[in-house]
């Protein structure tokens, strides 16, 4: 999947991956996609909840060897 910005949130624990994603999304324009790499087990719940609450689209998630990838399209 193509994306416009990248955030490496490995090693960060809840709520830091979501807080950093929110900050990174502020710099993007509507429709752009942020790729987030996180290894916090709580991110599986936190990232979809954040997207739902903020109105962003969680385009897809992907398990990778060093965590999970989240592709978020800015509202």
């Amino acid at each position: 999947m193509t994306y416009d910005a990248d955030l490496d949130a490995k090693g960060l624990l809840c709520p830091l991956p979501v807080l950093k994603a929110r900050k990174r999304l502020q710099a993007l324009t509507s429709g752009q996609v942020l790729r987030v790499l996180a290894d916090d087990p709580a991110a599986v719940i936190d990232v979809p909840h954040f997207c739902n609450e903020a109105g962003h689209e969680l385009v897809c998630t992907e398990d990778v060897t060093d965590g999970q990838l989240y592709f978020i399209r800015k509202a």
Side-chain angles (χ1 to χ4, degrees):
M1 162 143 218
T2 60
Y3 54 92
D4 302 289
D6 199 25
L7 172 64
D8 183 353
K10 288 189 320 186
L12 301 178
L13 298 178
C14 178
L16 289 176
V18 166
L19 293 176
K20 290 195 176 281
R22 181 183 340 167
K23 185 173 183 177
R24 187 64 60 92
L25 283 163
Q26 288 175 347
L28 300 180
T29 59
S30 182
Q32 287 188 305
V33 175
L34 172 65
R35 182 181 84 153
V36 179
L37 172 60
D39 58 0
D40 177 15
V44 175
I45 296 167
D46 293 344
V47 172
H49 179 73
F50 161 70
C51 291
N52 188 45
E53 291 295 311
H56 304 303
E57 177 188 358
L58 182 58
V59 179
C60 69
T61 62
E62 208 177 296
D63 288 325
V64 292
T65 56
D66 53 349
Q68 302 84 33
L69 287 173
Y70 302 92
F71 294 87
I72 303 169
R73 186 179 320 278
K74 183 174 178 174

